[in-house]
Amino acid sequence: MFGQKKPVNPLSFIAQECHLTGKLMFSGDVLIAGHVSGDIQAQGNVTIEPSGTVEGDILCRELKIAGQLSGEARCKKITLHEQGVFEGDAFCENIEILDGGQFLGYRHRDPLSTTATAQ
């Protein structure tokens, strides 16, 4: 009845007016509406909103792009939404590109478990 609650992934939010530079590490999920110049490593999922831009590499569980990413992505699954633009190399098991999404680069079919340990 009063058992322990399941831990929830913490959510980090980078607001639209934020500009961050450097190597960013997160223990949970990340929602990006601002601008990041640098690498992102998250134990959870990363979502780039339509106003969000990332110039750097991303290592996460699942990546959703509605904004722009220039760099390398290493994750289990990438979803590129209608307005999303991805320019770079994608190392993932699955990729989904919705109508209107732009993928400019090369996809390597590589499971997350081997790419995450190679870092």
Side-chain angles (χ1 to χ4, degrees):
M1 182 161 131
F2 293 107
Q4 292 182 344
K5 291 185 178 182
K6 215 177 194 183
V8 177
N9 269 357
L11 175 65
S12 298
F13 178 64
I14 300 172
Q16 193 167 359
E17 299 300 321
C18 289
H19 295 269
L20 300 177
T21 302
K23 184 174 182 176
L24 308 174
M25 301 177 80
F26 300 94
S27 61
D29 297 337
V30 184
L31 183 62
I32 302 169
H35 179 77
V36 175
S37 181
D39 297 341
I40 297 172
Q41 184 174 347
Q43 292 179 0
N45 302 327
V46 174
T47 301
I48 302 173
E49 292 287 309
S51 62
T53 60
V54 175
E55 296 173 6
D57 299 341
I58 296 179
L59 173 65
C60 64
R61 188 174 40 216
E62 186 174 325
L63 175 61
K64 298 176 184 177
I65 305 169
Q68 296 184 358
L69 170 61
S70 296
E72 187 177 279
R74 293 179 180 268
C75 53
K76 192 168 184 83
K77 180 181 179 184
I78 296 174
T79 303
L80 193 55
H81 291 272
E82 294 85 5
Q83 301 169 349
V85 178
F86 177 40
E87 185 174 352
D89 284 345
F91 294 84
C92 60
E93 292 179 16
N94 299 302
I95 188 167
E96 179 180 14
I97 303 173
L98 302 178
D99 192 25
Q102 296 182 31
F103 180 80
L104 309 165
Y106 190 77
R107 184 220 176 196
H108 308 266
R109 187 174 179 160
D110 201 5
L112 178 62
S113 58
T114 58
T115 57
T117 56
Q119 295 292 317

